[in-house]
């Protein structure tokens, strides 16, 4: 299997000012040397709580935001070396579905306008046949003809998210990034949309990055799993490996909460130079306070923790 | 508390629409009742009508809410004011908007003691700090002088819980108290609620859409769909054997029947186009002719279990 995406040591820092007028600012490390790769026809699930850098990662990978450092190779092309003009035609191959279908669709446009815009933008079909093309795509996401001329406010959350998916897949991308696409939906609708993602992935041989805070969702949809905490990857590997043999204390905690529904956490405190998880860790030792562990392990399973492996 | 045949309507430009219909539920002392359903099914309306906090466009069509021998829907507003907070209190979903952003945490916590119990400032402050400690703040004196924006979502929710239990209510209503929180703080808040309910011998009406929470929290479960409670069971039995097709679908959709995912078809209709007969029939896999014509009445299966579905009974 070939690589569709390979990201090396991506970092992004945001500056946060105390108030509008203050001169000094504090820095937030949203991404700290994150490396990942996505193979052809594979789904990478990224899990973490809010503020762990999942969304920043998604935005940086698609260059909706420029990372400070790192490399992004998409099908062998080094994206960060390209000029915006050279990048634009490539955007056809990578698309995104956002979390909130209420704000990600323009309320003044009809479904036909929303979905046909990218098609016409990249000259995929000519104007005369675009309506037919849109109908086809809507059908493949489970919306019939009657939706073509509707406005977003006439649809439910699940239907809007289907439109957002239609818009993302209409350019036949090879990589689809889904940023919490089901977390604002009701349970019964969530299940429908998840099955839809699985279906289009099979039909279109897509590679996906699927971001969620819900381990049950991640378990259902992905082949590989990455666990993030405060801008770092703390554990990654094959899905079965991660779920049957979680190594990092944070992953275990997440599993305890979402699968078994119990657990305890201790207070959060930051310490410069320490492991990112130091403040919360139950098993922290002396070494964890002074040194940050690197990801260590095999292709199947890597973890950043001093408790494990040959550290 | 006992809700009997409660129906509520809302006025719209097309006339009155039924929001909830014939809701029956009983919460015994020390019991945790979870009301589960998707958005728009009437969970929150049920909770708000218990406290008589519905907006002006809503009206109670019929039914009663019996609380310790009195019908809350019939007593004068003056008496209701004494019940709110003192006997029944509520924790809302949004910890970001439920606190006043320009008042210190302490001011808002002690307000209950000053207004309802008429305590002096100093005494009220002491009680407030004690309370903040009880809900798990390590240095309550410091928190007392902070503003809401200095706290995280979970911490704010803890402040709200502190306020709501301050007068030792008999019943606490929690409306999706953890939906906007992270998994980790979510379970922290739930554990806190659980221990408070036990220690203070309160009853709780817990409103949620999350079956994973319900499994770990409740004694009794009511499943709500389009304004009706379609099934009620004791918790353990419910997860072993859900009766209503909607309950079964919900459990499958929420990965609670193994890793396989079998979604419920269709989507929740809006209130203007409520189907005839059984409200679930357009989405139901076991639909029969009868379901399209008539609405099923509750059918008792055993002590503590009933379901609104023609598949059961005669």
């Amino acid at each position: 299997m070939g690589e569709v995406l390979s990201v090396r040591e991506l970092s992004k820092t945001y500056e946060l000012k105390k108030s509008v007028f203050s001169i000094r600012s504090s820095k937030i490390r949203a991404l700290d040397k994150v490396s990942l790769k996505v193979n052809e026809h594979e789904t990478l699930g990224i899990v973490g709580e809010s503020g762990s850098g999942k969304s920043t990662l998604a935005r940086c990978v698609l260059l909706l935001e420029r990372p400070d450092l790192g490399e992004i190779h998409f099908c062998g092309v080094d994206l960060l070396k390209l000029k915006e003009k050279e990048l634009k035609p490539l955007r056809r191959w990578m698309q995104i579905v956002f979390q909130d279908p209420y704000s990600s669709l323009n309320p003044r446009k009809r479904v036909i306008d929303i979905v046909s815009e990218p098609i016409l933008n990249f000259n995929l079909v000519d104007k005369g046949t675009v309506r037919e093309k849109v109908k086809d795509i809507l059908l493949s996401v489970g919306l019939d003809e009657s939706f073509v001329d509707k406005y977003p406010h006439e649809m439910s959350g699940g239907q809007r998210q289907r439109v957002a998916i239609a818009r993302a897949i209409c350019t036949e991308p090879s990589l689809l990034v889904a940023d919490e696409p089901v977390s604002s939906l009701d349970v019964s609708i969530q299940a429908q949309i998840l099955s839809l993602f699985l279906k289009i992935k099979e039909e279109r041989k897509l590679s996906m990055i699927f971001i969620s805070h819900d381990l049950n969702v991640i378990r259902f949809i992905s082949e590989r799993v990455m666990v993030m905490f405060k801008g770092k990857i703390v554990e990654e590997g094959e899905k079965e490996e991660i779920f049957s043999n979680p190594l990092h204390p944070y992953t275990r905690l997440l599993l305890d909460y979402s699968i078994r529904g119990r657990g305890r956490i201790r207070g959060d405190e930051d310490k410069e130079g320490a492991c990112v998880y130091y403040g919360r860790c139950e098993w922290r030792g002396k070494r964890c306070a002074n040194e940050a562990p690197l990801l260590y392990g095999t292709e199947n399973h890597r973890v950043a923790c001093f408790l494990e492996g040959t550290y | 508390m006992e809700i009997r045949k409660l129906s509520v309507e809302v006025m719209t430009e097309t006339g009155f629409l039924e929001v909830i219909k014939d809701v029956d539920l009983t919460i015994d002392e020390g019991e945790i009742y979870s009301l589960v359903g998707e958005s728009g099914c009437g969970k929150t309306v049920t909770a708000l009508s218990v406290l008589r906090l519905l907006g002006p466009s809503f009206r109670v069509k019929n039914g009663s809410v019996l609380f310790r021998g009195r019908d809350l829907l019939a007593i004068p507003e003056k008496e209701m004011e004494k019940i709110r907070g003192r006997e029944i209190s509520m924790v809302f979903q949004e910890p970001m908007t439920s606190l006043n952003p320009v008042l210190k945490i302490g001011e808002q916590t002690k307000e209950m003691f000053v207004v309802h119990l008429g305590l002096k400032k100093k005494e009220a402050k002491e009680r407030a700090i004690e309370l903040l400690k009880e809900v798990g703040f390590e240095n309550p004196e410091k928190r007392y002088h902070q503003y809401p924006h200095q706290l995280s979502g979970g911490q704010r929710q803890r402040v709200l819980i502190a306020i709501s239990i301050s007068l030792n209510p008999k019943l606490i209503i929690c409306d999706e108290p953890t939906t906007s929180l992270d998994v980790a703080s979510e379970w922290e808040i739930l554990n806190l609620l659980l221990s408070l309910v036990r220690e203070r011998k309160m009853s709780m009406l817990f409103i949620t859409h999350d079956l994973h929470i319900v499994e770990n929290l409740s004694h009794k479960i009511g499943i709500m769909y389009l304004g009706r409670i379609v099934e009620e069971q004791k918790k353990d039995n419910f997860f072993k054997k859900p009766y209503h097709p909607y309950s079964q679908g919900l459990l499958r959709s929420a990965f609670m029947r193994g890793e396989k995912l079998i979604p419920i078809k269709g989507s929740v209709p809006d209130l203007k186009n409520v189907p005839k007969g059984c409200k679930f029939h357009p989405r139901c896999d076991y639909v029969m002719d009868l379901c399209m014509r008539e609405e099923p009445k509750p059918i008792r299966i055993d002590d503590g279990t009933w379901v609104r579905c023609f598949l059961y009974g005669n």
Side-chain angles (χ1 to χ4, degrees), chain B residues 231-244 247-248 251 257 301-302 305 312:
Chain B
E231 174 167 0
E232 185 182 294
Q233 279 219 56
K234 293 202 177 103
K235 179 193 76 183
D236 294 333
N237 299 343
F238 177 78
F239 285 99
K240 265 182 236 146
K241 190 169 182 202
Y243 283 93
H244 200 281
S247 319
Q248 295 167 0
L251 282 169
R257 283 283 174 273
I301 307 264
D302 60 50
T305 307
Y312 306 99

Side-chain angles (χ1 to χ4, degrees), chain B residues 1-3 25-33 171 203-206 220:
Chain B
M1 186 189 70
E2 195 181 341
I3 300 180
L25 72 86
T26 312
I27 305 175
D28 294 330
E29 247 180 83
E31 190 176 58
I32 303 177
Y33 189 107
L171 172 69
S203 313
M204 178 153 84
L205 175 59
F206 193 87
K220 233 196 260 169

Side-chain angles (χ1 to χ4, degrees), chain B residues 290-309:
Chain B
L290 184 63
C291 310
M292 297 181 204
R293 280 182 276 124
E294 259 177 70
E295 190 167 356
K297 296 224 154 34
I299 289 159
R300 189 154 289 281
I301 307 264
D302 60 50
D303 184 41
T305 307
W306 56 261
V307 57
R308 278 175 193 268
C309 182

Side-chain angles (χ1 to χ4, degrees), chain B residues 78-301:
Chain B
K78 267 257 154 27
E79 292 213 6
M80 194 63 214
E81 272 166 21
K82 283 187 199 148
I83 288 181
R84 276 187 216 123
R86 251 193 239 198
E87 302 201 38
I88 306 178
S89 69
M90 186 151 178
V91 179
F92 293 93
Q93 177 171 0
E94 284 286 324
M96 305 293 166
T97 52
S98 307
L99 286 170
N100 186 335
V102 295
L103 287 182
K104 286 178 183 170
I105 298 300
E107 294 295 322
Q108 305 189 47
T109 321
K110 79 174 189 204
E111 192 190 353
M112 293 288 266
F113 296 119
V114 177
V115 175
H116 281 272
L117 301 184
L119 292 188
K120 293 265 161 44
K121 268 187 189 168
K122 204 179 147 215
E123 214 180 330
K125 184 179 172 180
E126 279 167 16
R127 292 278 293 271
I129 288 177
E130 227 171 85
L131 202 59
L132 289 175
K133 203 170 169 192
E134 196 182 335
V135 294
F137 284 114
E138 270 165 28
N139 34 9
E141 282 89 358
K142 185 181 142 204
R143 299 294 178 199
Y144 188 89
H145 293 290
Q146 282 183 324
Y147 288 94
H149 74 266
Q150 292 169 298
L151 304 186
S152 71
Q155 289 168 333
R156 274 181 244 197
Q157 199 58 286
R158 265 195 261 169
V159 172
L160 285 167
I161 291 171
I163 295 172
S164 69
I165 59 162
S166 54
L167 300 175
N168 259 324
K170 287 278 162 289
L171 172 69
I172 179 169
I173 301 176
C174 299
D175 186 4
E176 307 235 12
T178 58
T179 345
S180 50
L181 305 177
D182 276 321
V183 244
S185 19
E186 175 166 35
W187 286 104
E188 225 179 326
I189 293 292
L190 293 174
N191 284 334
L192 172 68
L193 279 172
L194 211 57
S195 65
L196 286 173
V197 164
R198 268 190 213 130
E199 273 163 32
R200 297 183 166 231
K201 301 200 169 48
M202 294 186 286
S203 313
M204 178 153 84
L205 175 59
F206 193 87
I207 294 175
T208 183
H209 64 270
D210 190 335
L211 286 164
H212 295 272
I213 295 179
V214 171
E215 196 179 16
N216 289 287
L217 196 77
S218 29
H219 300 121
K220 233 196 260 169
I221 294 175
I223 302 286
M224 213 165 178
Y225 185 75
L226 276 180
R228 281 101 179 133
I229 297 185
V230 294
E231 174 167 0
E232 185 182 294
Q233 279 219 56
K234 293 202 177 103
K235 179 193 76 183
D236 294 333
N237 299 343
F238 177 78
F239 285 99
K240 265 182 236 146
K241 190 169 182 202
Y243 283 93
H244 200 281
Y246 178 62
S247 319
Q248 295 167 0
L250 270 187
L251 282 169
R252 282 196 303 259
S253 299
F255 301 101
M256 304 203 63
R257 283 283 174 273
E259 270 180 61
K260 261 213 286 190
L261 184 69
I262 307 161
I264 306 175
K265 63 185 179 189
S267 58
V268 186
D270 71 63
L271 283 176
K272 284 177 194 162
N273 308 311
V274 174
K276 277 210 177 91
C278 171
K279 302 305 161 210
F280 188 62
H281 86 254
R283 305 179 71 190
C284 184
D285 289 333
Y286 308 100
V287 60
M288 302 174 283
D289 284 346
L290 184 63
C291 310
M292 297 181 204
R293 280 182 276 124
E294 259 177 70
E295 190 167 356
K297 296 224 154 34
I299 289 159
R300 189 154 289 281
I301 307 264

Side-chain angles (χ1 to χ4, degrees), chain A residues 49-50 159 186-189 191-192 194-195 213 216-217 219-220 239 254 257-258 260-261 263 265 280, chain B residues 38-39 182-185 187-188 191 209 212 216 250 253-255 259 261 263-268 283:
Chain A
E49 55 196 75
S50 48
Q159 288 162 347
D186 272 321
V187 198
S188 72
I189 309 301
Q192 291 175 356
L194 279 177
S195 322
H213 66 275
N216 288 305
V217 169
R219 180 181 214 164
F220 173 73
K239 173 177 73 178
L254 278 182
Y257 281 124
S258 58
R260 285 162 230 149
I265 56 164
R280 281 211 202 157
Chain B
E38 300 179 87
S39 46
D182 276 321
V183 244
S185 19
W187 286 104
E188 225 179 326
N191 284 334
H209 64 270
H212 295 272
N216 289 287
L250 270 187
S253 299
F255 301 101
E259 270 180 61
L261 184 69
I264 306 175
K265 63 185 179 189
S267 58
V268 186
R283 305 179 71 190

